[in-house]
Amino acid sequence: MAEDKRRRYSSQVVDGLGKSASRAMLRAVGFSDEDFRKPQVGIASTWSNLTPCNMHINRLAEESAAGADDAGGKSLIFNTITVSDGIANGTEGMKYSLVSREVIADSIETVAGCEGFDGLVAIGGCDKNMPGCMMGLARLNRPSVFVYGGTILPGENHTDIISVFEAVGAHAQGKLELIDVKQIEETAIPGAGSCGGMYTANTMASAIEAMGMSLPGSSAQNAVSDTKVADCRAAGAAVLNLLEQDIKPSDIMTREAFENAITVVIALGGSTNAVLHLLAMASTVGVELSLEDFAEIGKRVPVLADLRPSGHYMMSELVAIGGIQPLIKMLLERGLVYGGCLTVTGKTLAENLADVEPYPEGQDIIHAFDNPIKADSHLRILYGNLAPTGAVAKITGKEGTHFTGRARVFHSEEEAQEKILDGTVVAGDVLVIRYEGPKGGPGMREMLSPTSAIMGKGLGSDVALITDGRFSGGSHGFVVGHITPEAAEGGPIALVEEGDTITIDAVSNRIELGVSDQELERRRQAWQPPGPRFTRGVLAKYARTVGSASTGAVTDLP
C-alpha cells in the first residue's frame, strides 16, 4: 500500500501489460525491472553555460539524482530554460526575462505531467528560476524540494555585477577612466554562482527556504562548495521521505508560510521582485496574498541585514557567519514568524531551528533588533492618483523618505538611459519610464541600467525614478516600480506630461501627480492606446495573457 501511494503517477505510465511500450522506451535510458517498481523522481535542471548563475547546475542535478536513487527512488534529469538578466539588462532582450518565469513553470508542469513523475527536485540559479520552478511545483502539487544553485564569490576589490553597471555611470560622470571600467569588468565575476548581493536570486532563495520548500541552509551556500553538493544530494533523498509521508507543496506553501517568507525578505533588505514573485507563487498555489499584506507585515518587521545593494556585505559573507537560519531563529524568538509551519524536512520550522546556533559575537552583518538598519520595511507599497491599484518602492531611508520633483517623461528604458548619461537629467528630476509594464513592454523590464547610471553619476539622492516596469534586486536609489494600472492599459502614468510635479512620500506611502482630477480626465479622454509592439511569438502571447503586476503578473488566471 505504501509503495502504491508513493507511485501514484508513475504506476499509470509503467505498470501492466498495456504499458510494455512505455517500459521499452525507459529500458533504453537505463531502467531495469527493479526500477519500474520504484517511485520516479524528476530532477528539473536549469543548467546552461550562458550565465555564471547556472553554469554549474549540471553537477548539482546529478547529485540530487544520486540522492534520490540512494534513497530508493529512480531519478530522471530533465532541463528547463534560463536567461541571464545580467547580460540582457538594458536591451530589448530583457523583455524575455519575466516571460522566462512562465516558460520555466510551464515546462516543469509539462514534462512532469506527461512523464508521470511521483516527486520532483527543482534546481535554480538565475533570478526567474526560483519563482518559475516554484510555480511549476505548485501547479503539479507532488512531493517536491527546491534547491538553490548558490551564490557567487566576490570579485576583486569586493566587486560584483552591480559594480560593473555603476562603473558605466561613474565613467560618464568623469570619475573613472575607461581602463578602470575594463578592469572592473574583467574581475567582478570570478566564477559560478548567482549575483552576490541580496539581489533577486538570493532574495528569492531565502524566501523559499523561509517558506519551508528548501532544506535548511540551502539559500545561503556558496555555489561551488561541498555544502552545496551535500544539499543537493540530501534534497533528492528528502523527496522520498515526502513521498512516504505524502507531504505536498500545498501542505507547505500555506498563508502562514508566505508571511514567513515576506518577513525574512524584509529583514534581509531584499529585492522588490520578491513582491511580484511571491504574489505569483501564492496565486499559483491558491493562497490569498495581496500588496496590502506586504504593507501590514512591513509595519512590524525591521531591516536587520547590512547587505548590498544598499548595504556593505555580500551573501558569501553572510554564508560565512551561518547564513539565514540564525536570522529566522531570531525572528521566531521575537514572535515574527510562525514556527508551526510544515517544511520539506517533514518537520516544522521551529523543529528545524531548535539546534541552530546564534551568529558569532562581533559580527555586524545582521544587526540586533535594538539597532536595526531600518525600524520598518524598506519595501513600501504606495498608492495615490498615480498608482490607484498600487506601486512598489524600495526605500531604505538612506535616499531620504520624501521626494518632490518635475517629471521627465520617457517611453522606454533606452531613452532614459541616453539622457542620464549625456547630462540631460539633473537634480530635481523625476524620471517617468512608461510603457514598460507586463503588457506594454511587453515583459516588464528591469530598470537596472538607468538606476545604476544614476547612482554612478552621484545623483542617487537627487533624482527619483518611477516606472510601470520593475527593478533589479541590484537597483537602489529613490525608485518606484510596478505602478498599476500600467501605461498600456491607460493608467495615470500614461497621462503624465513633461514638467508635471510628482511627489513620493515613503512615510505616508503616497505617490501623487500634482494635477487636478479635471485635468487628468481631460488627458484621459485624449489618450490613445498604443498598438501592440509584437503580434506573433512568445512576447505577443505573453502580452495577451498576462495580468497586472499588482497580482503577480501571472499568465494562467481563469
Side-chain angles (χ1 to χ4, degrees), residues 290-327:
S290 71
L291 289 175
E292 276 305 298
D293 293 313
F294 289 84
E296 286 303 310
I297 294 169
K299 293 175 182 176
R300 61 179 183 263
V301 179
V303 178
L304 298 176
D306 187 14
L307 295 168
R308 291 191 180 187
S310 298
H312 298 95
Y313 294 97
M314 294 193 189
M315 190 66 172
S316 58
E317 293 164 303
L318 179 59
V319 170
I321 64 165
I324 72 166
Q325 287 284 296
L327 172 63

PDB file of all heavy atoms in Angstrom, residues 290-327:
ATOM      1  N   SER A 290      -1.894  39.707  -1.038  1.00  0.00           N
ATOM      2  CA  SER A 290      -2.055  40.973  -1.746  1.00  0.00           C
ATOM      3  C   SER A 290      -0.937  41.939  -1.374  1.00  0.00           C
ATOM      4  O   SER A 290      -0.163  41.706  -0.439  1.00  0.00           O
ATOM      5  CB  SER A 290      -3.407  41.609  -1.385  1.00  0.00           C
ATOM      6  OG  SER A 290      -3.392  42.088  -0.042  1.00  0.00           O
ATOM      7  N   LEU A 291      -0.875  43.046  -2.108  1.00  0.00           N
ATOM      8  CA  LEU A 291       0.082  44.093  -1.789  1.00  0.00           C
ATOM      9  C   LEU A 291      -0.080  44.580  -0.355  1.00  0.00           C
ATOM     10  O   LEU A 291       0.901  44.905   0.316  1.00  0.00           O
ATOM     11  CB  LEU A 291      -0.093  45.269  -2.755  1.00  0.00           C
ATOM     12  CG  LEU A 291       0.346  45.062  -4.199  1.00  0.00           C
ATOM     13  CD1 LEU A 291      -0.012  46.286  -5.032  1.00  0.00           C
ATOM     14  CD2 LEU A 291       1.847  44.790  -4.290  1.00  0.00           C
ATOM     15  N   GLU A 292      -1.303  44.625   0.112  1.00  0.00           N
ATOM     16  CA  GLU A 292      -1.558  45.105   1.469  1.00  0.00           C
ATOM     17  C   GLU A 292      -0.889  44.228   2.525  1.00  0.00           C
ATOM     18  O   GLU A 292      -0.520  44.709   3.595  1.00  0.00           O
ATOM     19  CB  GLU A 292      -3.065  45.193   1.730  1.00  0.00           C
ATOM     20  CG  GLU A 292      -3.703  46.475   1.231  1.00  0.00           C
ATOM     21  CD  GLU A 292      -2.999  47.708   1.794  1.00  0.00           C
ATOM     22  OE1 GLU A 292      -3.001  47.884   3.023  1.00  0.00           O
ATOM     23  OE2 GLU A 292      -2.426  48.479   1.001  1.00  0.00           O
ATOM     24  N   ASP A 293      -0.747  42.956   2.239  1.00  0.00           N
ATOM     25  CA  ASP A 293      -0.080  42.066   3.198  1.00  0.00           C
ATOM     26  C   ASP A 293       1.376  42.466   3.379  1.00  0.00           C
ATOM     27  O   ASP A 293       1.915  42.409   4.493  1.00  0.00           O
ATOM     28  CB  ASP A 293      -0.182  40.617   2.727  1.00  0.00           C
ATOM     29  CG  ASP A 293      -1.616  40.109   2.756  1.00  0.00           C
ATOM     30  OD1 ASP A 293      -2.298  40.325   3.774  1.00  0.00           O
ATOM     31  OD2 ASP A 293      -2.061  39.516   1.757  1.00  0.00           O
ATOM     32  N   PHE A 294       2.044  42.868   2.301  1.00  0.00           N
ATOM     33  CA  PHE A 294       3.420  43.339   2.418  1.00  0.00           C
ATOM     34  C   PHE A 294       3.484  44.610   3.260  1.00  0.00           C
ATOM     35  O   PHE A 294       4.398  44.784   4.065  1.00  0.00           O
ATOM     36  CB  PHE A 294       4.008  43.597   1.025  1.00  0.00           C
ATOM     37  CG  PHE A 294       4.278  42.346   0.247  1.00  0.00           C
ATOM     38  CD1 PHE A 294       3.277  41.723  -0.479  1.00  0.00           C
ATOM     39  CD2 PHE A 294       5.544  41.783   0.251  1.00  0.00           C
ATOM     40  CE1 PHE A 294       3.529  40.561  -1.191  1.00  0.00           C
ATOM     41  CE2 PHE A 294       5.812  40.620  -0.457  1.00  0.00           C
ATOM     42  CZ  PHE A 294       4.787  40.004  -1.182  1.00  0.00           C
ATOM     43  N   ALA A 295       2.499  45.483   3.060  1.00  0.00           N
ATOM     44  CA  ALA A 295       2.465  46.727   3.829  1.00  0.00           C
ATOM     45  C   ALA A 295       2.241  46.448   5.316  1.00  0.00           C
ATOM     46  O   ALA A 295       2.914  47.032   6.183  1.00  0.00           O
ATOM     47  CB  ALA A 295       1.373  47.642   3.284  1.00  0.00           C
ATOM     48  N   GLU A 296       1.310  45.568   5.622  1.00  0.00           N
ATOM     49  CA  GLU A 296       0.987  45.286   7.022  1.00  0.00           C
ATOM     50  C   GLU A 296       2.137  44.588   7.736  1.00  0.00           C
ATOM     51  O   GLU A 296       2.496  44.946   8.859  1.00  0.00           O
ATOM     52  CB  GLU A 296      -0.287  44.438   7.102  1.00  0.00           C
ATOM     53  CG  GLU A 296      -1.564  45.205   6.819  1.00  0.00           C
ATOM     54  CD  GLU A 296      -1.744  46.392   7.752  1.00  0.00           C
ATOM     55  OE1 GLU A 296      -1.616  46.201   8.983  1.00  0.00           O
ATOM     56  OE2 GLU A 296      -1.992  47.503   7.255  1.00  0.00           O
ATOM     57  N   ILE A 297       2.716  43.579   7.091  1.00  0.00           N
ATOM     58  CA  ILE A 297       3.850  42.880   7.709  1.00  0.00           C
ATOM     59  C   ILE A 297       5.027  43.835   7.872  1.00  0.00           C
ATOM     60  O   ILE A 297       5.752  43.803   8.870  1.00  0.00           O
ATOM     61  CB  ILE A 297       4.237  41.649   6.869  1.00  0.00           C
ATOM     62  CG1 ILE A 297       3.097  40.617   6.921  1.00  0.00           C
ATOM     63  CG2 ILE A 297       5.544  41.023   7.368  1.00  0.00           C
ATOM     64  CD1 ILE A 297       3.247  39.479   5.936  1.00  0.00           C
ATOM     65  N   GLY A 298       5.195  44.729   6.904  1.00  0.00           N
ATOM     66  CA  GLY A 298       6.296  45.688   6.942  1.00  0.00           C
ATOM     67  C   GLY A 298       6.243  46.661   8.102  1.00  0.00           C
ATOM     68  O   GLY A 298       7.275  47.230   8.488  1.00  0.00           O
ATOM     69  N   LYS A 299       5.072  46.834   8.691  1.00  0.00           N
ATOM     70  CA  LYS A 299       4.952  47.747   9.824  1.00  0.00           C
ATOM     71  C   LYS A 299       5.628  47.195  11.076  1.00  0.00           C
ATOM     72  O   LYS A 299       6.040  47.956  11.951  1.00  0.00           O
ATOM     73  CB  LYS A 299       3.473  48.027  10.127  1.00  0.00           C
ATOM     74  CG  LYS A 299       2.750  48.821   9.047  1.00  0.00           C
ATOM     75  CD  LYS A 299       1.262  48.951   9.371  1.00  0.00           C
ATOM     76  CE  LYS A 299       0.512  49.696   8.277  1.00  0.00           C
ATOM     77  NZ  LYS A 299      -0.952  49.749   8.548  1.00  0.00           N
ATOM     78  N   ARG A 300       5.736  45.867  11.162  1.00  0.00           N
ATOM     79  CA  ARG A 300       6.258  45.264  12.399  1.00  0.00           C
ATOM     80  C   ARG A 300       7.615  44.598  12.229  1.00  0.00           C
ATOM     81  O   ARG A 300       8.205  44.143  13.222  1.00  0.00           O
ATOM     82  CB  ARG A 300       5.259  44.234  12.936  1.00  0.00           C
ATOM     83  CG  ARG A 300       4.956  43.063  12.012  1.00  0.00           C
ATOM     84  CD  ARG A 300       3.966  42.093  12.651  1.00  0.00           C
ATOM     85  NE  ARG A 300       3.703  40.912  11.838  1.00  0.00           N
ATOM     86  CZ  ARG A 300       2.678  40.762  11.019  1.00  0.00           C
ATOM     87  NH1 ARG A 300       1.782  41.743  10.904  1.00  0.00           N
ATOM     88  NH2 ARG A 300       2.516  39.650  10.318  1.00  0.00           N
ATOM     89  N   VAL A 301       8.121  44.539  10.989  1.00  0.00           N
ATOM     90  CA  VAL A 301       9.385  43.839  10.753  1.00  0.00           C
ATOM     91  C   VAL A 301      10.473  44.835  10.360  1.00  0.00           C
ATOM     92  O   VAL A 301      10.313  45.588   9.400  1.00  0.00           O
ATOM     93  CB  VAL A 301       9.224  42.776   9.645  1.00  0.00           C
ATOM     94  CG1 VAL A 301      10.559  42.066   9.395  1.00  0.00           C
ATOM     95  CG2 VAL A 301       8.157  41.753  10.037  1.00  0.00           C
ATOM     96  N   PRO A 302      11.597  44.859  11.060  1.00  0.00           N
ATOM     97  CA  PRO A 302      12.688  45.769  10.722  1.00  0.00           C
ATOM     98  C   PRO A 302      13.631  45.159   9.683  1.00  0.00           C
ATOM     99  O   PRO A 302      13.669  43.945   9.494  1.00  0.00           O
ATOM    100  CB  PRO A 302      13.417  45.933  12.059  1.00  0.00           C
ATOM    101  CG  PRO A 302      13.231  44.606  12.726  1.00  0.00           C
ATOM    102  CD  PRO A 302      11.859  44.110  12.309  1.00  0.00           C
ATOM    103  N   VAL A 303      14.407  46.028   9.045  1.00  0.00           N
ATOM    104  CA  VAL A 303      15.509  45.575   8.194  1.00  0.00           C
ATOM    105  C   VAL A 303      16.727  45.388   9.103  1.00  0.00           C
ATOM    106  O   VAL A 303      17.162  46.327   9.779  1.00  0.00           O
ATOM    107  CB  VAL A 303      15.814  46.594   7.079  1.00  0.00           C
ATOM    108  CG1 VAL A 303      16.998  46.121   6.233  1.00  0.00           C
ATOM    109  CG2 VAL A 303      14.587  46.824   6.203  1.00  0.00           C
ATOM    110  N   LEU A 304      17.273  44.179   9.113  1.00  0.00           N
ATOM    111  CA  LEU A 304      18.377  43.859  10.022  1.00  0.00           C
ATOM    112  C   LEU A 304      19.693  43.576   9.299  1.00  0.00           C
ATOM    113  O   LEU A 304      20.758  43.605   9.930  1.00  0.00           O
ATOM    114  CB  LEU A 304      18.017  42.634  10.875  1.00  0.00           C
ATOM    115  CG  LEU A 304      16.801  42.768  11.795  1.00  0.00           C
ATOM    116  CD1 LEU A 304      16.528  41.443  12.497  1.00  0.00           C
ATOM    117  CD2 LEU A 304      16.993  43.881  12.813  1.00  0.00           C
ATOM    118  N   ALA A 305      19.643  43.296   8.008  1.00  0.00           N
ATOM    119  CA  ALA A 305      20.833  42.842   7.285  1.00  0.00           C
ATOM    120  C   ALA A 305      21.504  43.989   6.531  1.00  0.00           C
ATOM    121  O   ALA A 305      20.859  44.690   5.752  1.00  0.00           O
ATOM    122  CB  ALA A 305      20.456  41.732   6.312  1.00  0.00           C
ATOM    123  N   ASP A 306      22.791  44.137   6.746  1.00  0.00           N
ATOM    124  CA  ASP A 306      23.581  45.177   6.078  1.00  0.00           C
ATOM    125  C   ASP A 306      24.188  44.592   4.799  1.00  0.00           C
ATOM    126  O   ASP A 306      25.395  44.393   4.684  1.00  0.00           O
ATOM    127  CB  ASP A 306      24.681  45.672   7.022  1.00  0.00           C
ATOM    128  CG  ASP A 306      25.426  46.874   6.465  1.00  0.00           C
ATOM    129  OD1 ASP A 306      24.942  47.489   5.501  1.00  0.00           O
ATOM    130  OD2 ASP A 306      26.516  47.183   6.984  1.00  0.00           O
ATOM    131  N   LEU A 307      23.311  44.304   3.844  1.00  0.00           N
ATOM    132  CA  LEU A 307      23.708  43.624   2.613  1.00  0.00           C
ATOM    133  C   LEU A 307      23.529  44.516   1.403  1.00  0.00           C
ATOM    134  O   LEU A 307      22.669  45.395   1.383  1.00  0.00           O
ATOM    135  CB  LEU A 307      22.877  42.345   2.437  1.00  0.00           C
ATOM    136  CG  LEU A 307      23.089  41.258   3.500  1.00  0.00           C
ATOM    137  CD1 LEU A 307      22.013  40.196   3.392  1.00  0.00           C
ATOM    138  CD2 LEU A 307      24.468  40.624   3.351  1.00  0.00           C
ATOM    139  N   ARG A 308      24.333  44.292   0.387  1.00  0.00           N
ATOM    140  CA  ARG A 308      24.170  45.024  -0.860  1.00  0.00           C
ATOM    141  C   ARG A 308      22.801  44.710  -1.479  1.00  0.00           C
ATOM    142  O   ARG A 308      22.291  43.621  -1.279  1.00  0.00           O
ATOM    143  CB  ARG A 308      25.279  44.611  -1.843  1.00  0.00           C
ATOM    144  CG  ARG A 308      26.654  45.100  -1.422  1.00  0.00           C
ATOM    145  CD  ARG A 308      27.639  44.896  -2.533  1.00  0.00           C
ATOM    146  NE  ARG A 308      28.962  45.373  -2.130  1.00  0.00           N
ATOM    147  CZ  ARG A 308      30.004  45.447  -2.942  1.00  0.00           C
ATOM    148  NH1 ARG A 308      29.884  45.066  -4.202  1.00  0.00           N
ATOM    149  NH2 ARG A 308      31.168  45.885  -2.517  1.00  0.00           N
ATOM    150  N   PRO A 309      22.208  45.690  -2.216  1.00  0.00           N
ATOM    151  CA  PRO A 309      22.851  46.866  -2.794  1.00  0.00           C
ATOM    152  C   PRO A 309      22.922  48.103  -1.894  1.00  0.00           C
ATOM    153  O   PRO A 309      23.765  48.955  -2.109  1.00  0.00           O
ATOM    154  CB  PRO A 309      21.973  47.166  -4.006  1.00  0.00           C
ATOM    155  CG  PRO A 309      20.619  46.737  -3.583  1.00  0.00           C
ATOM    156  CD  PRO A 309      20.845  45.494  -2.763  1.00  0.00           C
ATOM    157  N   SER A 310      22.040  48.202  -0.917  1.00  0.00           N
ATOM    158  CA  SER A 310      22.059  49.409  -0.089  1.00  0.00           C
ATOM    159  C   SER A 310      23.082  49.319   1.029  1.00  0.00           C
ATOM    160  O   SER A 310      23.519  50.342   1.558  1.00  0.00           O
ATOM    161  CB  SER A 310      20.664  49.659   0.498  1.00  0.00           C
ATOM    162  OG  SER A 310      19.724  49.871  -0.532  1.00  0.00           O
ATOM    163  N   GLY A 311      23.456  48.097   1.395  1.00  0.00           N
ATOM    164  CA  GLY A 311      24.406  47.902   2.481  1.00  0.00           C
ATOM    165  C   GLY A 311      25.796  47.577   1.986  1.00  0.00           C
ATOM    166  O   GLY A 311      26.157  47.850   0.840  1.00  0.00           O
ATOM    167  N   HIS A 312      26.579  46.927   2.843  1.00  0.00           N
ATOM    168  CA  HIS A 312      28.001  46.757   2.573  1.00  0.00           C
ATOM    169  C   HIS A 312      28.414  45.336   2.207  1.00  0.00           C
ATOM    170  O   HIS A 312      29.386  45.150   1.481  1.00  0.00           O
ATOM    171  CB  HIS A 312      28.807  47.187   3.816  1.00  0.00           C
ATOM    172  CG  HIS A 312      28.638  48.615   4.174  1.00  0.00           C
ATOM    173  ND1 HIS A 312      27.715  49.040   5.111  1.00  0.00           N
ATOM    174  CD2 HIS A 312      29.245  49.745   3.711  1.00  0.00           C
ATOM    175  CE1 HIS A 312      27.780  50.357   5.213  1.00  0.00           C
ATOM    176  NE2 HIS A 312      28.689  50.802   4.381  1.00  0.00           N
ATOM    177  N   TYR A 313      27.713  44.329   2.726  1.00  0.00           N
ATOM    178  CA  TYR A 313      28.214  42.971   2.645  1.00  0.00           C
ATOM    179  C   TYR A 313      27.559  42.179   1.511  1.00  0.00           C
ATOM    180  O   TYR A 313      26.505  42.538   0.999  1.00  0.00           O
ATOM    181  CB  TYR A 313      28.000  42.249   3.975  1.00  0.00           C
ATOM    182  CG  TYR A 313      28.821  42.829   5.098  1.00  0.00           C
ATOM    183  CD1 TYR A 313      28.275  43.743   5.994  1.00  0.00           C
ATOM    184  CD2 TYR A 313      30.158  42.471   5.256  1.00  0.00           C
ATOM    185  CE1 TYR A 313      29.022  44.285   7.025  1.00  0.00           C
ATOM    186  CE2 TYR A 313      30.925  43.007   6.289  1.00  0.00           C
ATOM    187  CZ  TYR A 313      30.352  43.920   7.157  1.00  0.00           C
ATOM    188  OH  TYR A 313      31.110  44.454   8.166  1.00  0.00           O
ATOM    189  N   MET A 314      28.214  41.072   1.172  1.00  0.00           N
ATOM    190  CA  MET A 314      27.704  40.170   0.151  1.00  0.00           C
ATOM    191  C   MET A 314      27.203  38.876   0.781  1.00  0.00           C
ATOM    192  O   MET A 314      27.509  38.563   1.926  1.00  0.00           O
ATOM    193  CB  MET A 314      28.787  39.873  -0.882  1.00  0.00           C
ATOM    194  CG  MET A 314      29.190  41.087  -1.701  1.00  0.00           C
ATOM    195  SD  MET A 314      30.156  40.576  -3.124  1.00  0.00           S
ATOM    196  CE  MET A 314      30.703  42.190  -3.713  1.00  0.00           C
ATOM    197  N   MET A 315      26.446  38.114  -0.005  1.00  0.00           N
ATOM    198  CA  MET A 315      25.847  36.876   0.504  1.00  0.00           C
ATOM    199  C   MET A 315      26.904  35.903   0.988  1.00  0.00           C
ATOM    200  O   MET A 315      26.712  35.220   2.005  1.00  0.00           O
ATOM    201  CB  MET A 315      24.986  36.238  -0.595  1.00  0.00           C
ATOM    202  CG  MET A 315      24.123  35.088  -0.113  1.00  0.00           C
ATOM    203  SD  MET A 315      22.857  35.682   1.036  1.00  0.00           S
ATOM    204  CE  MET A 315      21.862  34.206   1.249  1.00  0.00           C
ATOM    205  N   SER A 316      28.031  35.819   0.296  1.00  0.00           N
ATOM    206  CA  SER A 316      29.076  34.876   0.713  1.00  0.00           C
ATOM    207  C   SER A 316      29.584  35.202   2.116  1.00  0.00           C
ATOM    208  O   SER A 316      30.003  34.296   2.862  1.00  0.00           O
ATOM    209  CB  SER A 316      30.235  34.897  -0.286  1.00  0.00           C
ATOM    210  OG  SER A 316      30.776  36.199  -0.398  1.00  0.00           O
ATOM    211  N   GLU A 317      29.545  36.471   2.493  1.00  0.00           N
ATOM    212  CA  GLU A 317      29.967  36.860   3.838  1.00  0.00           C
ATOM    213  C   GLU A 317      28.910  36.507   4.879  1.00  0.00           C
ATOM    214  O   GLU A 317      29.240  36.184   6.029  1.00  0.00           O
ATOM    215  CB  GLU A 317      30.291  38.355   3.851  1.00  0.00           C
ATOM    216  CG  GLU A 317      31.530  38.671   3.013  1.00  0.00           C
ATOM    217  CD  GLU A 317      31.678  40.137   2.671  1.00  0.00           C
ATOM    218  OE1 GLU A 317      30.742  40.716   2.066  1.00  0.00           O
ATOM    219  OE2 GLU A 317      32.738  40.713   2.985  1.00  0.00           O
ATOM    220  N   LEU A 318      27.632  36.537   4.477  1.00  0.00           N
ATOM    221  CA  LEU A 318      26.576  36.048   5.369  1.00  0.00           C
ATOM    222  C   LEU A 318      26.678  34.534   5.510  1.00  0.00           C
ATOM    223  O   LEU A 318      26.476  33.986   6.604  1.00  0.00           O
ATOM    224  CB  LEU A 318      25.203  36.448   4.823  1.00  0.00           C
ATOM    225  CG  LEU A 318      23.976  35.998   5.626  1.00  0.00           C
ATOM    226  CD1 LEU A 318      24.019  36.544   7.050  1.00  0.00           C
ATOM    227  CD2 LEU A 318      22.683  36.441   4.933  1.00  0.00           C
ATOM    228  N   VAL A 319      27.002  33.845   4.411  1.00  0.00           N
ATOM    229  CA  VAL A 319      27.220  32.395   4.471  1.00  0.00           C
ATOM    230  C   VAL A 319      28.270  32.057   5.525  1.00  0.00           C
ATOM    231  O   VAL A 319      28.111  31.122   6.318  1.00  0.00           O
ATOM    232  CB  VAL A 319      27.649  31.859   3.088  1.00  0.00           C
ATOM    233  CG1 VAL A 319      28.124  30.417   3.185  1.00  0.00           C
ATOM    234  CG2 VAL A 319      26.517  31.987   2.070  1.00  0.00           C
ATOM    235  N   ALA A 320      29.340  32.833   5.557  1.00  0.00           N
ATOM    236  CA  ALA A 320      30.470  32.550   6.438  1.00  0.00           C
ATOM    237  C   ALA A 320      30.120  32.651   7.922  1.00  0.00           C
ATOM    238  O   ALA A 320      30.793  32.043   8.761  1.00  0.00           O
ATOM    239  CB  ALA A 320      31.628  33.497   6.119  1.00  0.00           C
ATOM    240  N   ILE A 321      29.065  33.394   8.266  1.00  0.00           N
ATOM    241  CA  ILE A 321      28.694  33.522   9.681  1.00  0.00           C
ATOM    242  C   ILE A 321      27.459  32.697  10.043  1.00  0.00           C
ATOM    243  O   ILE A 321      26.933  32.807  11.151  1.00  0.00           O
ATOM    244  CB  ILE A 321      28.477  35.001  10.088  1.00  0.00           C
ATOM    245  CG1 ILE A 321      27.292  35.632   9.340  1.00  0.00           C
ATOM    246  CG2 ILE A 321      29.749  35.803   9.897  1.00  0.00           C
ATOM    247  CD1 ILE A 321      26.799  36.931   9.941  1.00  0.00           C
ATOM    248  N   GLY A 322      26.974  31.885   9.089  1.00  0.00           N
ATOM    249  CA  GLY A 322      25.865  30.994   9.435  1.00  0.00           C
ATOM    250  C   GLY A 322      24.647  31.074   8.555  1.00  0.00           C
ATOM    251  O   GLY A 322      23.665  30.359   8.790  1.00  0.00           O
ATOM    252  N   GLY A 323      24.646  31.963   7.538  1.00  0.00           N
ATOM    253  CA  GLY A 323      23.515  32.034   6.623  1.00  0.00           C
ATOM    254  C   GLY A 323      22.286  32.683   7.241  1.00  0.00           C
ATOM    255  O   GLY A 323      22.394  33.554   8.109  1.00  0.00           O
ATOM    256  N   ILE A 324      21.109  32.233   6.823  1.00  0.00           N
ATOM    257  CA  ILE A 324      19.883  32.882   7.299  1.00  0.00           C
ATOM    258  C   ILE A 324      19.191  32.112   8.417  1.00  0.00           C
ATOM    259  O   ILE A 324      18.240  32.620   9.008  1.00  0.00           O
ATOM    260  CB  ILE A 324      18.878  33.135   6.158  1.00  0.00           C
ATOM    261  CG1 ILE A 324      18.224  31.840   5.657  1.00  0.00           C
ATOM    262  CG2 ILE A 324      19.546  33.894   5.006  1.00  0.00           C
ATOM    263  CD1 ILE A 324      17.008  32.076   4.780  1.00  0.00           C
ATOM    264  N   GLN A 325      19.647  30.892   8.720  1.00  0.00           N
ATOM    265  CA  GLN A 325      18.980  30.130   9.782  1.00  0.00           C
ATOM    266  C   GLN A 325      19.016  30.843  11.145  1.00  0.00           C
ATOM    267  O   GLN A 325      17.988  30.918  11.826  1.00  0.00           O
ATOM    268  CB  GLN A 325      19.592  28.736   9.881  1.00  0.00           C
ATOM    269  CG  GLN A 325      19.208  27.817   8.728  1.00  0.00           C
ATOM    270  CD  GLN A 325      17.786  27.295   8.855  1.00  0.00           C
ATOM    271  OE1 GLN A 325      17.456  26.573   9.786  1.00  0.00           O
ATOM    272  NE2 GLN A 325      16.929  27.669   7.906  1.00  0.00           N
ATOM    273  N   PRO A 326      20.161  31.403  11.565  1.00  0.00           N
ATOM    274  CA  PRO A 326      20.138  32.148  12.836  1.00  0.00           C
ATOM    275  C   PRO A 326      19.209  33.360  12.787  1.00  0.00           C
ATOM    276  O   PRO A 326      18.601  33.714  13.805  1.00  0.00           O
ATOM    277  CB  PRO A 326      21.598  32.572  13.022  1.00  0.00           C
ATOM    278  CG  PRO A 326      22.384  31.588  12.220  1.00  0.00           C
ATOM    279  CD  PRO A 326      21.537  31.286  11.036  1.00  0.00           C
ATOM    280  N   LEU A 327      19.092  33.995  11.623  1.00  0.00           N
ATOM    281  CA  LEU A 327      18.186  35.138  11.499  1.00  0.00           C
ATOM    282  C   LEU A 327      16.737  34.687  11.667  1.00  0.00           C
ATOM    283  O   LEU A 327      15.948  35.332  12.386  1.00  0.00           O
ATOM    284  CB  LEU A 327      18.375  35.804  10.132  1.00  0.00           C
ATOM    285  CG  LEU A 327      17.357  36.902   9.780  1.00  0.00           C
ATOM    286  CD1 LEU A 327      17.452  38.073  10.746  1.00  0.00           C
ATOM    287  CD2 LEU A 327      17.540  37.371   8.339  1.00  0.00           C
TER     288      LEU A 327
END
